[in-house]
Amino acid sequence: MADPPSLRMRRSRAHKAGDHSLCVRCAVVRADPVVVARAVPVTDPVAGLRLLAGQLVSAYGQDTGNALLARELRMTLQALMGGPGRNHDGDLEELFGALQA
């Protein structure tokens, strides 16, 4: 049986405010407390992005129909490459420059 709309609204507001006591399936409730307790601040953003990219590749490999995972993986890879449309391969940059001229 579905929850009444008033409870869903209370749950949504509490979730947005950071109170997950009413949450049923959000990521905070599903998180492994051991993993959360071991969380450390990111001191090397590039290494963090590489780790995230690896985790996303693994997750997307298990659920290839998940568009949100695909989007996050694409955005993470773009951030590692230096942003959308940027390529670190000098030969390709020269080729694209020549084609645009």
Side-chain angles (χ1 to χ4, degrees):
M1 182 172 178
D3 292 333
S6 60
L7 176 59
R8 287 194 310 243
M9 186 57 95
R10 276 188 24 231
R11 183 182 296 130
S12 174
R13 287 185 182 142
H15 176 83
K16 288 177 185 174
D19 176 10
H20 301 283
S21 60
L22 297 174
C23 290
V24 177
R25 350 172 247 248
C26 82
V28 174
V29 172
R30 291 189 321 256
D32 182 357
V34 174
V35 173
V36 172
R38 289 187 314 213
V40 294
V42 175
T43 56
D44 183 0
V46 174
L49 280 173
R50 287 184 180 137
L51 177 63
L52 176 62
Q55 293 169 342
L56 288 169
V57 166
S58 175
Y60 184 69
Q62 295 175 9
D63 186 8
T64 56
N66 190 329
L68 290 176
L69 278 174
R71 180 179 185 272
E72 288 302 318
L73 176 57
R74 177 185 54 83
M75 290 174 55
T76 303
L77 292 174
Q78 283 178 339
L80 283 169
M81 291 174 54
R86 293 212 36 211
N87 192 324
H88 293 292
D89 188 349
D91 293 336
L92 282 177
E93 287 180 5
E94 289 177 22
L95 175 63
F96 289 143
L99 291 173
Q100 290 177 351

